[in-house]
Amino acid sequence: MADVYVRIFHRPAGNTAGPLECLVDESRRRLADAQMGAFRRAGATDVGIVAGGDRGYGARLRGVLEELRSADPSAGLIVVGSGAMVLAQPSDYARLVDVAASDGGRVLANNRYSADVVSISRAGVLPPVPDLPGDNPLPRWLEEHAGRRVDDLRARWRLQVDLDSPLDIELTSFGRNA
């Protein structure tokens, strides 16, 4: 089984953010901390947060892949948004880690059409990633340009819920007692 790197993409609220944007940012940051612990418990080797800054999604992903190629080209990679997997269970984290640790170039996304988390085995051998505008096109690019078959978990409704708005925070109760 290969090592598994997890990178949580988090775009902090800007200096001009209002109170609701700050609430969503703080909740996503707390969720990212929870994700880090859950992925470690599931067996991930190296877990970290990638701040958004001015770079787009494709550029941030290229940077992560360059880091991975230098460290361990045979390692697996899980990329996840800081607002994703708010209702995930330990078995969901374990499945993503298992796929990333496997051989054979497997890919598993929460949803191939609306990806918030993507697990990629042998990620260090991927071709150069273009300037993808966000995470949603990643599964399609992996299939069409990297030659990877993409499986997804769209039947697991709990993996389709993420923190995009104050209403999401209230509906998931993530903002309370966390």
Side-chain angles (χ1 to χ4, degrees):
M1 298 292 268
D3 286 342
V4 175
Y5 289 68
V6 177
R7 293 298 177 260
I8 301 165
F9 285 27
H10 178 73
R11 186 175 299 253
N15 294 338
T16 60
L20 292 179
E21 287 176 277
C22 290
L23 171 70
V24 172
D25 176 58
E26 174 60 27
S27 295
R28 284 178 162 214
R29 180 58 201 200
R30 284 197 328 262
L31 178 55
D33 290 340
Q35 291 169 341
M36 289 176 68
F39 276 116
R40 284 187 184 112
R41 286 187 296 280
T45 311
D46 185 309
V47 182
I49 294 177
V50 177
D54 293 337
R55 299 182 320 156
Y57 183 83
R60 286 182 285 156
L61 182 56
R62 275 193 305 278
V64 167
L65 288 170
E66 287 170 14
E67 169 194 346
L68 187 66
R69 284 184 191 103
S70 299
D72 183 359
S74 66
L77 175 65
I78 299 171
V79 289
V80 58
S82 63
M85 299 182 63
V86 67
L87 300 177
Q89 298 176 357
S91 61
D92 299 318
Y93 288 96
R95 182 150 183 209
L96 291 161
V97 169
D98 286 346
V99 167
S102 69
D103 287 332
R106 295 177 61 198
V107 176
L108 181 65
N110 70 311
N111 188 315
R112 73 185 317 101
Y113 305 106
S114 182
D116 297 312
V117 59
V118 180
S119 178
I120 309 163
S121 68
R122 300 183 43 79
V125 299
L126 289 174
V129 176
D131 283 330
L132 298 173
D135 51 9
N136 289 340
L138 179 58
R140 186 175 65 243
W141 179 84
L142 287 165
E143 202 161 62
E144 294 174 2
H145 299 281
R148 303 283 184 103
R149 190 180 109 223
V150 176
D151 294 317
D152 75 9
L153 300 168
R154 65 183 154 206
R156 291 188 184 181
W157 67 269
R158 67 182 176 271
L159 295 181
Q160 312 314 310
V161 179
D162 61 357
L163 300 180
D164 286 329
S165 72
L167 181 58
D168 297 329
I169 296 165
E170 182 62 27
L171 291 173
T172 61
S173 300
F174 188 77
R176 286 185 232 138
N177 303 321

